[in-house]
Amino acid sequence: MFRASRPKKRAIACHRCHSQKIKCSGEKPCSKCRAAGYGNQCNYATRDRKIRVDESYLEQLLRDSEELHERRHRSKQDLPLQQGPDTDDDATGNDEPKIQGSLYGDKPWFQVHDASILPLYISEATCAAFATRLCQCLSKNNTPTLYLPKTRYTDESTLSSLQDIDTPWPTLVSARLMVNTALNHVIPCFHLALKKDSLDMLQGVYQRGDFDNPSIKCKYFVLFALAEAAQAPRATSNQSPVPGSAYFSRALSLINIIPERPSMIHIESLLLIAYFCQFLNRFHSAYIYIGSALRLGLSIGLNHNVPETQDLHPIAREHRIRIWWTIYTFERFWGAKSGFPMQIHDEDVHVDQPSISASKAYPDQFADGAYQVAGIELSRITGDTSAEIYCRKISTEKFLSREQRLLTQLKQWLQSLPPHLRLNPDGTSPKHTIHMHLQFNFCVILTIRPVLLHVLTLQMKDQYNQPASPISPVLVTLSETCIHAARHSLALCVNEWTGGSFAKYGYTFPAYLCSAALVLMLSSLLEVGDPSDLASAETAMEILKNLSLSDRLASRDLYEQIRRVHECLLNSPFPPPSLATENLNVQTLNPPSVDQGTATGLLQLSGHPQYPVVPSEDLSHLILDSNVPYLTTEMALHQQNMQDFLERPDVNFGLLDPVGMFNDFDLAISMSTQSPPY
């Protein structure tokens, strides 16, 4: 017999039935309320049932709730390490959660050195800013560490005084030697002028006696300045100006007026001036001159191909192309090292890449086009790194996803290199090839080093009586790759130093040394690193110290940075294990079977006691063993863990987004917002 199902009986009555003490049917509305015409007023009391749960589960819920509340609170307030104008984050009334693109908060970092001078913008992409973060992290008793101002540069008064000095043209023989020296110093790293045409024009200047043409004089005086800087001996007087400064200051006085119809020689001069600014440690000036060259190049359409119908000689056509890409490369390299944003975007560039066939057809005019193409692509990745890792734009993409994409691009760049641009296994690679691989390593370090600082803060939590956080395998993999890049860069730089081919007055090699040393100092503290890396970092510091004893202005600034970090590290509450840091250890092993890209023949710095010890004071007398292997960054990128990270389609390894990445770091050091950052 079929029995109709009864409605589910509610355990409680509605308010009306309960007050009248009558039986309630339990529906909503119940039958009594419907019959009385009170269906819209039929309500039931909210029932709070008691259930049994484990106490540990409740405690975990409370911890999660507190952590989420603190994270939201910190993301809306000024970070302790930031100084900037007061703004209302919620002024728009938009409650939608945001993901900040910057690793260090949403306020720009300004430093005031003198009340009469405009505040100086400090970019998080610079080595000085990274050194500051590390010093602050290592300081005792949460002591603020001030930003070290960059005061070691040739100032305007010095350049003005040099303009009053009579600087004559050298003899023709000397001038030809100096132009050849200058062009060989920058080629093939950068295409700044046509080599044969420049020498032919110089010959014509002396034959005609045309020494007062301002455009011609400006170009050649900067070339003379570059030659003097490149030929300078290792030791000079502290009171003497940077070699080439007199020629450089005269060139500056000849290029003050911006032409309405620019010529190629004017743009060449701007690029040469920007290049020489590194010797004077004047990076803001270099950025301005590069910007002027960029805008003048846009005004004459260097970013476009000249139609084939135009009657333009192949040399002139290729020269236009290469000058444009030099502007592009300068803009990204100088911007990345100084932390300035890109001024030209890839979608605005419509010109061909340098021609390899032109290099073969006109070898006396153009350097290897393959090197030019590789340098352009590396500069593009460098610019992307600054824009993706250190920008302040709002991004919905996870930080690790950006890391993955950039490292994938770097790996593809490395795989695409032709054999003659790889490091030779016998350790005899050309200087410009070593420079390119150092730039590659720098880009890897620039991409990953914020992760290293994050790993350090996770490891330091127990020092501040906070619960320690586990370090995920992907963070370990990224950290190891960054450390490998630093070790490889240091080995390349030491090899250049001991071989006598180190650019003494330039910025690039000292900058590579500094970036590697900072990572290795940090590595000596990390469980994923090695305490012996501190000895390697001290080797870099020793080289910079030697360079800083004379007027190597950039080296003096960089040496002071890593010296301060070294001092903070040794005085920190958790210094690395004690090492014989005054010793430099050279590892001599039989070479393994490696790919062509492996940089054997290079010096390996290690703290292992079984290797022969050479005092750091005798660094210049080191004899390099051509059979010394070294783990290169290329090998590190091919490790299985890194391969898994790069090939994973959806990177989601826990919370490592910019909003929360350094909140624990800021909380741990408890920096005062009234103290300027280092």
Side-chain angles (χ1 to χ4, degrees):
M1 180 178 178
F2 176 78
R3 182 174 297 176
S5 60
R6 297 180 180 178
K8 185 177 180 180
K9 186 177 181 180
R10 296 182 64 94
I12 58 175
C14 68
H15 290 299
R16 184 173 178 276
C17 293
H18 180 72
S19 62
Q20 296 183 5
K21 297 183 179 180
I22 58 178
K23 187 175 181 179
C24 183
S25 60
E27 302 95 351
K28 182 167 176 51
C30 68
S31 59
K32 301 292 185 181
C33 290
R34 286 199 307 270
Y38 294 101
N40 59 343
Q41 300 179 13
C42 182
N43 296 315
Y44 292 85
T46 301
R47 186 177 181 185
D48 187 11
R49 296 188 303 166
K50 293 181 174 59
I51 58 176
R52 295 182 58 185
V53 296
D54 294 336
E55 183 180 3
S56 60
Y57 177 73
L58 292 176
E59 292 176 349
Q60 181 62 42
L61 289 177
L62 290 173
R63 285 195 298 269
D64 292 344
S65 177
E66 291 175 357
E67 182 179 353
L68 179 61
H69 177 74
E70 291 176 1
R71 184 178 298 120
R72 288 178 176 174
H73 178 68
R74 290 195 299 264
S75 66
K76 293 181 180 180
Q77 65 181 0
D78 293 350
L79 292 178
L81 291 178
Q82 300 294 131
Q83 279 192 319
D86 294 332
T87 58
D88 187 0
D89 293 337
D90 296 326
T92 62
N94 186 2
D95 295 331
E96 181 180 352
K98 299 177 181 179
I99 298 179
Q100 173 65 39
S102 171
L103 292 175
Y104 301 91
D106 57 355
K107 300 297 176 64
W109 180 354
F110 286 91
Q111 175 64 37
V112 179
H113 302 306
D114 189 331
S116 63
I117 302 176
L118 292 174
L120 180 65
Y121 171 69
I122 308 299
S123 170
E124 298 288 357
T126 61
C127 286
F130 184 75
T132 299
R133 298 292 182 183
L134 187 53
C135 280
Q136 290 172 332
C137 193
L138 296 174
S139 297
K140 286 183 178 180
N141 302 321
N142 302 330
T143 304
T145 307
L146 301 184
Y147 174 79
L148 182 66
K150 190 185 78 169
T151 57
R152 298 172 180 85
Y153 62 91
T154 303
D155 58 21
E156 293 75 23
S157 61
T158 301
L159 293 175
S160 297
S161 64
L162 289 173
Q163 291 179 0
D164 299 331
I165 300 175
D166 183 27
T167 310
W169 286 74
T171 64
L172 176 59
V173 175
S174 178
R176 289 183 64 88
L177 284 174
M178 295 173 77
V179 170
N180 271 308
T181 300
L183 293 179
N184 289 334
H185 180 75
V186 299
I187 296 175
C189 294
F190 308 106
H191 176 84
L192 297 176
L194 293 167
K195 187 171 183 179
K196 181 178 181 300
D197 283 6
S198 296
L199 292 172
D200 290 346
M201 181 183 288
L202 181 68
Q203 184 77 25
V205 168
Y206 280 83
Q207 288 178 349
R208 299 187 307 270
D210 187 16
F211 298 113
D212 295 325
N213 186 307
S215 298
I216 294 176
K217 188 175 182 180
C218 178
K219 173 181 175 178
Y220 285 102
F221 269 40
V222 184
L223 288 172
F224 297 157
L226 285 172
E228 286 195 351
Q231 293 175 328
R234 177 169 294 186
T236 60
S237 170
N238 282 335
Q239 287 72 36
S240 64
V242 174
S245 296
Y247 280 120
F248 177 78
S249 63
R250 288 293 297 142
L252 285 182
S253 66
L254 299 170
I255 204 168
N256 291 330
I257 300 177
I258 298 176
E260 180 62 24
R261 299 293 179 89
S263 61
M264 290 299 293
I265 193 172
H266 187 92
I267 296 177
E268 290 173 8
S269 299
L270 286 172
L271 293 175
L272 288 166
I273 288 173
Y275 186 85
F276 189 85
C277 281
Q278 65 168 312
F279 300 107
L280 307 178
N281 208 22
R282 293 178 60 88
F283 274 84
H284 293 150
S285 299
Y287 191 64
I288 292 171
Y289 285 114
I290 293 168
S292 298
L294 171 63
R295 281 153 182 79
L296 289 175
L298 291 173
S299 70
I300 61 174
L302 291 184
N303 58 323
H304 294 274
N305 289 316
V306 176
E308 294 294 336
T309 55
Q310 295 283 343
D311 186 16
L312 193 63
H313 193 279
I315 292 179
R317 185 182 298 273
E318 182 68 14
H319 182 46
R320 282 175 56 95
I321 292 173
R322 296 201 179 198
I323 283 292
W324 166 259
W325 285 116
T326 297
I327 295 173
Y328 179 95
T329 302
F330 272 18
E331 196 265 342
R332 274 157 173 73
F333 280 164
W334 259 257
K337 289 180 174 64
S338 303
F340 301 135
M342 295 182 293
Q343 300 300 308
I344 185 72
H345 299 283
D346 291 334
E347 56 266 26
D348 299 320
V349 180
H350 310 285
V351 68
D352 292 338
Q353 298 225 336
S355 170
I356 297 177
S357 61
S359 306
K360 298 177 180 178
Y362 308 101
D364 54 351
Q365 298 278 26
F366 303 108
D368 184 6
Y371 186 93
Q372 303 287 317
V373 172
I376 292 167
E377 183 59 28
L378 188 57
S379 67
R380 178 180 288 113
I381 300 173
T382 304
D384 291 344
T385 300
S386 298
E388 295 291 336
I389 302 300
Y390 298 94
C391 68
R392 298 187 178 275
K393 65 181 180 182
I394 303 299
S395 175
T396 57
E397 188 179 16
K398 290 184 178 296
F399 173 75
L400 283 180
S401 297
R402 283 173 271 161
E403 291 274 301
Q404 183 192 54
R405 184 175 63 257
L406 291 168
L407 291 173
T408 300
Q409 293 176 13
L410 286 167
K411 179 184 174 183
Q412 292 171 348
W413 177 88
L414 204 55
Q415 292 174 335
S416 67
L417 283 180
H420 70 285
L421 295 184
R422 296 178 181 270
L423 293 172
N424 292 329
D426 59 2
T428 58
S429 300
K431 179 179 178 179
H432 61 269
T433 301
I434 293 175
H435 176 276
M436 184 171 63
H437 284 267
L438 282 169
Q439 179 63 32
F440 167 80
N441 286 344
F442 173 79
C443 196
V444 173
I445 292 172
L446 189 67
T447 303
I448 306 179
R449 67 185 180 188
V451 174
L452 279 181
L453 194 59
H454 178 64
V455 170
L456 178 62
T457 60
L458 294 178
Q459 187 175 306
M460 286 168 47
K461 277 190 173 182
D462 57 344
Q463 299 291 334
Y464 296 97
N465 299 321
Q466 297 181 10
S469 300
I471 300 175
S472 66
V474 68
L475 296 187
V476 173
T477 299
L478 290 172
S479 300
E480 289 176 344
T481 301
C482 186
I483 294 169
H484 285 318
R487 291 170 181 165
H488 188 214
S489 286
L490 180 58
L492 290 172
C493 288
V494 171
N495 196 58
E496 290 294 289
W497 170 264
T498 55
S501 56
F502 203 111
K504 308 301 186 304
Y505 276 93
Y507 173 81
T508 52
F509 276 99
Y512 296 141
L513 269 174
C514 180
S515 64
L518 290 174
V519 169
L520 293 178
M521 286 184 184
L522 210 164
S523 171
S524 68
L525 296 170
L526 299 178
E527 296 176 359
V528 300
D530 190 333
S532 65
D533 283 331
L534 180 59
S536 302
E538 289 173 336
T539 301
M541 190 163 66
E542 181 69 18
I543 295 176
L544 287 175
K545 179 181 178 181
N546 279 280
L547 289 172
S548 66
L549 293 177
S550 56
D551 278 343
R552 277 77 176 182
L553 300 176
S555 297
R556 291 170 66 184
D557 266 346
L558 296 171
Y559 169 69
E560 188 63 23
Q561 289 174 18
I562 63 173
R563 187 194 66 78
R564 290 276 296 273
V565 175
H566 184 263
E567 180 180 342
C568 290
L569 187 148
L570 296 180
N571 295 329
S572 68
F574 34 89
S578 118
L579 296 171
T581 55
E582 58 272 358
N583 293 333
L584 172 68
N585 299 333
V586 183
Q587 182 177 0
T588 54
L589 298 173
N590 294 324
S593 176
V594 294
D595 297 333
Q596 187 176 6
T598 305
T600 56
L602 302 175
L603 190 66
Q604 173 154 359
L605 308 174
S606 175
H608 299 289
Q610 64 265 34
Y611 304 130
V613 174
V614 181
S616 59
E617 291 79 3
D618 299 329
L619 187 62
S620 59
H621 304 294
L622 283 174
I623 300 176
L624 301 182
D625 188 345
S626 62
N627 294 325
V628 177
Y630 200 85
L631 177 60
T632 66
T633 310
E634 180 176 7
M635 295 173 63
L637 288 175
H638 282 83
Q639 296 293 320
Q640 187 58 48
N641 289 340
M642 179 56 70
Q643 288 285 89
D644 294 341
F645 170 69
L646 297 180
E647 295 173 1
R648 181 160 179 170
D650 182 20
V651 183
N652 185 9
F653 298 97
L655 180 61
L656 189 61
D657 287 321
V659 167
M661 187 170 183
F662 286 91
N663 285 342
D664 291 331
F665 167 63
D666 294 333
L667 180 64
I669 62 177
S670 301
M671 294 295 298
S672 170
T673 56
Q674 301 302 318
S675 299
Y678 165 27

